[in-house]
Amino acid sequence: MICLSWTSLSGLATAEQPNVLFISVDDLNDWIGCLKGHPQARTPNIDRLAKSGTLFTNAHCGSPACNGSRSAIMSGQPAYVSGMYDNLQKMRTVMPDAELIPKYFSKHGYWSAGSGKILHYIIDAQSWDEYNPPKETEDPFPRTLYPEQRPVSLPRGGPWQYIETDWGGLDATDEEFGGDWLVSKWIGEQLSREHDKPFFLACGIYRPHEPWFVPQKYFDQFPLDEIQLPPGYAPDDIDDLPPAGKKLARNRYFAHIQNEGQWKQAIQGYLASIAFADAMVGRVITALEEGPNNDNTIVMLWSDHGWHLGEKEHWQKYTGWRVCTRVPLIVRVPPGTSGLDEGTQPGSVCQAPVSLVSLYTTLIELAGLPAKASLHEPSLVPLLKDPQTTWPHMAVTQLMSPENYSVSGSRWRYIHYANGDEELYDVESDPYEWNNLAGDPKFAEPLSRLKQHGPKDPAEFVPPAPSSLTKLKWHPAGSTSVPASNPDGNRFNVTFTNRSGQPVKVFQSVGDQTPQPFGVLESGWSKPQLTRPGTVWLIMDTNDQPLGHFVVGDRTAQAVIPKP
């Protein structure tokens, strides 16, 4: 009988292989001290981590939305390869066989565990050995304290508005708030104990994702009368944008926030939420440094995408501009690590354009695990060895459909829209992208060069299955009065599914006028219908007796008509 030791198993982890601490901070743009995105940002713990490792100052997300970005990072498959473009898609519908980072590490002898938001509102239980909350729940969020009455600061501008766009200080301690404090507590406990295997440990910090409710002490760090506007804001910034750029730039959120006199209050909420997130990162890093695993643990900190706070007259994300694609990325590798024996140089800075989709490839090489052929972005290990080394690559950020993307180089940035519109910026002299150079023949060469790095034959968009969509609330007839329709916002599909056991008639409510009929939906049938936020849809039986109604929310959904 032959006894195999850990170290003798080819391709499996050995006791000497490094641990990985993988920290995600949601919706964090460059408003951290070491990236100097906003002069008032307070992030001493993230800055401390940057001083102990390598800071990438030109890192970009694979997609400017949570789902596309996180799916690309965790699978190593950019959206233009996988077809995973949109927040409404489901990762396992689009990529049913993708082997995520934790699964690959687990397969090679690691203990893979996590807490908080790493994927887009799911855990993907099959990919983890352990999770907190338990992976079987598929809910990555621990209990979190929110105000009983909302909105607190920003009145709803209409049915088009995301309900979580709101902010305010809470009369609570960090522990009472829960949320990221509980995530950092659980992660800290894992870091503070010894393990019989190397570990891949993922920590998902949710703030500064909306809503920006955190304990009041974080708001107190940023007195309202001292709040400064975003450095990248210019009132005439969108004048030189092509039509597609202007359409994407100006959205209702920013105008509504300005009209309500809440711009500085919102900035305060974002800064306070960043400060809270930084404190939670500090708890995790301190637990690592004071525990038994510090000398053998790689640390990666990243954000899934940036965030607009008025730049380009835009609020939120979903754009190809630098404020939305550029993200914090910090990597600390201890000496003696399999793939980088000398470790990272403390305080080193890399300005090369890199993509977060490279993190999978990079971790595999650092850990000394077998290469994985399906990964699509180069390893960052050469840059960790020498941040000034030649780097021929550019970073592609895929927007919400195949033909919309941006390309980030060392000096130039290019944005391409599906209708052929283009933008070009020299970020060396114009870091806030105020001057679109795409129409100037003098800059035809850099435009053409960056365009060559755009996706070739991008994967088609895979629409979400109706069953995977958010379900609209069904209001049975007589249970509540039927409100007036208030259609307001962009059009999108709602899929009506009839599970009532009988044919039904579908009508659109149009105020005081006779409801507009949209035909009969047979029992068991589903049918998509273009609609707008705030529209009321009435459901009747074939004798025109009311069965109930739906009120359309702010996004694509499924309207399921139940049995009476």
Side-chain angles (χ1 to χ4, degrees):
M1 175 175 165
I2 299 175
C3 293
L4 297 180
S5 71
W6 235 16
T7 56
S8 67
L9 293 173
S10 177
L12 293 185
T14 68
E16 291 76 30
Q17 284 187 285
N19 306 307
V20 177
L21 174 58
F22 199 59
I23 305 173
S24 163
V25 185
D26 207 328
D27 288 9
L28 177 61
N29 60 18
D30 64 0
W31 287 18
I32 60 176
C34 55
L35 288 180
K36 303 178 181 179
H38 191 287
Q40 295 174 297
R42 294 187 181 181
T43 55
N45 296 293
I46 294 175
D47 299 342
R48 175 166 62 96
L49 179 63
K51 289 178 181 178
S52 69
T54 300
L55 170 67
F56 289 85
T57 62
N58 198 8
H60 296 266
C61 60
S63 173
C66 296
N67 203 11
S69 177
R70 291 170 180 270
S71 297
I73 290 168
M74 298 302 288
S75 70
Q77 302 283 326
Y80 57 83
V81 172
S82 68
M84 188 76 187
Y85 295 99
D86 190 274
N87 273 359
L88 295 175
Q89 294 172 290
K90 300 298 181 182
M91 185 189 71
R92 284 304 178 191
T93 300
V94 179
M95 298 187 291
D97 301 320
E99 186 174 52
L100 305 190
I101 297 174
K103 188 68 173 181
Y104 189 78
F105 272 73
S106 181
K107 188 172 76 173
H108 289 88
Y110 276 68
W111 177 65
S112 291
S115 182
K117 183 183 173 186
I118 296 298
L119 292 165
H120 184 59
Y121 297 120
I122 63 170
I123 292 174
D124 196 52
Q126 69 190 56
S127 293
W128 305 89
D129 296 314
E130 189 172 347
Y131 215 87
N132 180 61
K135 62 182 182 178
E136 294 78 14
T137 67
E138 285 296 344
D139 181 358
F141 299 104
R143 64 150 182 92
T144 306
L145 178 66
Y146 287 115
E148 293 183 4
Q149 299 296 323
R150 296 168 61 185
V152 171
S153 299
L154 184 68
R156 292 295 302 279
W160 50 267
Q161 184 180 322
Y162 179 43
I163 195 169
E164 300 286 30
T165 305
D166 197 13
W167 47 83
L170 302 176
D171 181 15
T173 64
D174 292 355
E175 183 174 0
E176 290 168 340
F177 175 71
D180 292 330
W181 187 90
L182 291 169
V183 170
S184 65
K185 178 178 184 291
W186 192 86
I187 294 292
E189 290 169 351
Q190 313 317 309
L191 293 170
S192 299
R193 67 181 179 90
E194 294 184 355
H195 297 259
D196 58 2
K197 289 183 178 182
F199 57 76
F200 174 87
L201 188 60
C203 172
I205 302 299
Y206 194 48
R207 291 294 178 272
H209 193 288
E210 295 178 311
W212 298 330
F213 294 115
V214 293
Q216 180 63 41
K217 66 181 181 180
Y218 296 100
F219 277 77
D220 292 341
Q221 295 180 29
F222 308 96
L224 188 59
D225 59 358
E226 298 177 9
I227 290 294
Q228 299 178 33
L229 299 182
Y233 173 75
D236 58 352
D237 190 11
I238 71 171
D239 291 354
D240 61 353
L241 298 185
K246 288 182 178 178
K247 182 178 180 181
L248 185 61
R250 183 182 285 129
N251 68 2
R252 294 187 178 199
Y253 285 86
F254 183 48
H256 176 53
I257 288 167
Q258 286 184 304
N259 290 339
E260 293 292 331
Q262 287 288 312
W263 192 8
K264 286 192 174 183
Q265 289 87 341
I267 293 170
Q268 181 192 41
Y270 188 63
L271 288 170
S273 295
I274 292 171
F276 171 78
D278 179 77
M280 300 305 104
V281 170
R283 282 167 50 84
V284 170
I285 298 301
T286 297
L288 172 63
E289 293 177 344
E290 294 180 353
N293 302 291
N294 186 54
D295 294 339
N296 194 32
T297 299
I298 298 164
V299 181
M300 277 189 174
L301 182 144
W302 51 275
S303 172
D304 51 356
H305 51 74
W307 188 270
H308 288 253
L309 289 101
E311 302 93 339
K312 295 281 190 299
E313 300 185 28
H314 189 83
W315 202 266
Q316 293 189 330
K317 44 199 173 185
Y318 309 121
T319 80
W321 292 295
R322 189 170 182 247
V323 66
C324 196
T325 72
R326 182 175 179 244
V327 291
L329 174 61
I330 300 168
V331 182
R332 185 174 79 188
V333 181
T337 298
S338 308
L340 188 63
D341 185 64
E342 64 273 30
T344 46
Q345 180 66 33
S348 55
V349 175
C350 180
Q351 299 178 345
V354 301
S355 170
L356 293 187
V357 190
S358 285
L359 298 188
Y360 199 152
T361 319
T362 304
L363 285 171
I364 285 178
E365 184 173 355
L366 287 174
L369 301 184
K372 188 173 173 62
S374 62
L375 304 182
H376 282 264
E377 294 295 332
S379 168
L380 304 181
V381 170
L383 294 171
L384 294 172
K385 289 180 179 178
D386 177 6
Q388 311 307 319
T389 195
T390 300
W391 184 254
H393 311 285
M394 295 190 184
V396 174
T397 299
Q398 189 77 49
L399 306 190
M400 311 307 285
S401 63
E403 300 299 328
N404 292 279
Y405 62 87
S406 68
V407 178
S408 301
S410 295
R411 174 179 175 181
W412 300 92
R413 292 198 72 256
Y414 170 75
I415 301 176
H416 181 272
Y417 297 99
N419 68 349
D421 285 349
E422 297 176 312
E423 297 174 36
L424 180 71
Y425 299 99
D426 179 356
V427 296
E428 189 176 279
S429 61
D430 180 23
Y432 300 121
E433 298 180 322
W434 288 337
N435 302 301
N436 178 19
L437 306 174
D440 191 331
K442 291 188 298 185
F443 303 103
E445 187 279 326
L447 186 149
S448 176
R449 177 161 42 85
L450 267 70
K451 189 173 183 177
Q452 294 305 310
H453 286 263
K456 307 296 189 296
D457 300 319
E460 294 184 2
F461 178 88
V462 180
S467 60
S468 70
L469 297 174
T470 299
K471 306 296 189 292
L472 292 182
K473 183 177 181 180
W474 169 248
H475 301 274
S479 63
T480 182
S481 60
V482 180
S485 273
N486 180 30
D488 187 8
N490 295 327
R491 291 163 60 118
F492 49 71
N493 275 325
V494 164
T495 298
F496 290 90
T497 299
N498 183 7
R499 295 180 182 163
S500 68
Q502 61 180 316
V504 299
K505 293 182 177 180
V506 180
F507 295 83
Q508 180 180 337
S509 171
V510 284
D512 295 334
Q513 304 175 34
T514 301
Q516 182 179 352
F518 275 79
V520 174
L521 189 64
E522 298 292 337
S523 179
W525 284 19
S526 292
K527 181 181 179 181
Q529 177 63 54
L530 275 174
T531 186
R532 298 172 67 194
T535 302
V536 175
W537 289 89
L538 308 176
I539 309 299
M540 301 185 185
D541 64 19
T542 53
N543 295 317
D544 292 331
Q545 294 301 306
L547 297 175
H549 70 274
F550 298 99
V551 182
V552 177
D554 65 347
R555 63 195 63 198
T556 299
Q558 186 183 28
V560 179
I561 304 158
K563 290 184 177 181

